[in-house]
Amino acid sequence: MDELIVKKNPKSSIAEAIRVIRTNIQFSLKLKKGKTILVTSSIQGEGKSFVSANLAVSFAQKNLKVLLVDSDLRLGRLHRIFKTSNQKGFSNLLVEDDPSNYKDYIKETKVENLSFISRGTVPPNPSELLDSENAKKFIASASKDFDIIIFDGTPINGLTDSLVFTKYVQKVVVVSAANYTKMNFLENTINSLKKLDVDIAGIILNKVPKTLSSSYYGGYYGGYYTSK
């Protein structure tokens, strides 16, 4: 299944839901050049990569220069969604002597204004790579060239990867799945982020069943709830 619904079927209800989410995020960010967002979830399987990819496409369709980065260095699958190679990805970039030379790692997409960096080789120390001076240098450099950078991170429950990476981004969006995410898992995720004084832009409710929502496409739905 082609998961880039915003590109494939821009008139669908899910595409419209993604655009609503995009608008909410734009207001939250007061969008100017170099804005950074981390998309995460509580556990695996909530649809954060689907949301990250479609949000990136939606921002690009607004004529913004977008960089999508797969920062889930363990199980990141964005290269499959975009049907590109996973060689020379983000993990490989973070061990470079000069991560400001990130352009060698960019993979162009079939979406105008959207560039992409895949996960790369699974490293033995993903959280250390994400919590590094090289990560900071990369973001500082890429922020000069892109209007918005979207990171698709690891789930938070049981892993520190996304938590340590939050210090480098301006906003965090949490994806949760209807009838799948346990409330205590979501509460733990929000509490873990708040302990770090993270700016949570909102929570996206994903995979709402057709019987509960008229906005339905292939099992996905995007509902946006601000945390303020």
Side-chain angles (χ1 to χ4, degrees), residues 21-90:
I21 294 167
R22 178 196 68 199
T23 300
N24 278 278
I25 291 175
Q26 282 183 293
F27 276 108
S28 175
L29 280 170
K30 298 178 182 177
L31 197 59
K32 294 181 180 178
K33 200 173 189 68
K35 299 300 183 182
T36 51
I37 297 172
L38 172 66
V39 180
T40 185
S41 62
S42 299
I43 56 176
Q44 187 180 353
E46 294 174 289
K48 66 176 179 59
S49 295
F50 171 86
V51 170
S52 297
N54 280 281
L55 262 181
V57 173
S58 185
F59 273 110
Q61 289 175 340
K62 284 285 287 183
N63 204 31
L64 294 169
K65 195 172 181 183
V66 182
L67 177 62
L68 175 64
V69 181
D70 196 337
S71 59
D72 183 345
L73 303 185
R74 300 171 187 266
L75 295 172
R77 65 181 190 90
L78 285 179
H79 59 284
R80 297 191 184 97
I81 293 178
F82 284 91
K83 300 175 183 177
T84 65
S85 166
N86 189 39
Q87 294 182 339
K88 289 186 67 176
F90 193 43

Side-chain angles (χ1 to χ4, degrees), residues 151-218:
F151 294 93
D152 179 26
T154 59
I156 284 179
N157 276 240
L159 296 172
T160 61
D161 301 19
S162 286
L163 289 175
V164 300
F165 196 64
T166 56
K167 70 178 73 174
Y168 302 120
V169 299
Q170 292 163 302
K171 297 280 185 177
V172 173
V173 172
V174 179
V175 177
S176 182
N179 298 324
Y180 179 79
T181 308
K182 293 182 179 179
M183 184 56 67
N184 64 308
F185 287 170
L186 179 58
E187 289 174 347
N188 289 341
T189 294
I190 299 303
N191 289 335
S192 295
L193 292 169
K194 286 185 174 180
K195 285 179 182 178
L196 296 175
D197 199 26
V198 171
D199 194 340
I200 304 172
I203 301 170
I204 296 172
L205 182 62
N206 193 33
K207 299 186 180 181
V208 173
K210 186 175 182 179
T211 54
L212 298 180
S213 173
S214 60
S215 299
Y216 177 80
Y217 188 96

Side-chain angles (χ1 to χ4, degrees), residues 90-125:
F90 193 43
S91 62
N92 307 98
L93 169 61
L94 291 178
V95 298
E96 285 281 3
D97 290 334
D98 186 3
S100 64
N101 293 327
Y102 70 91
K103 293 181 181 179
D104 291 339
Y105 291 81
I106 283 183
K107 297 172 175 64
E108 297 302 323
T109 70
K110 295 180 181 179
V111 179
E112 188 177 359
N113 300 316
L114 176 59
S115 298
F116 168 59
I117 297 179
S118 67
R119 178 196 73 208
T121 306
V122 177
N125 56 341

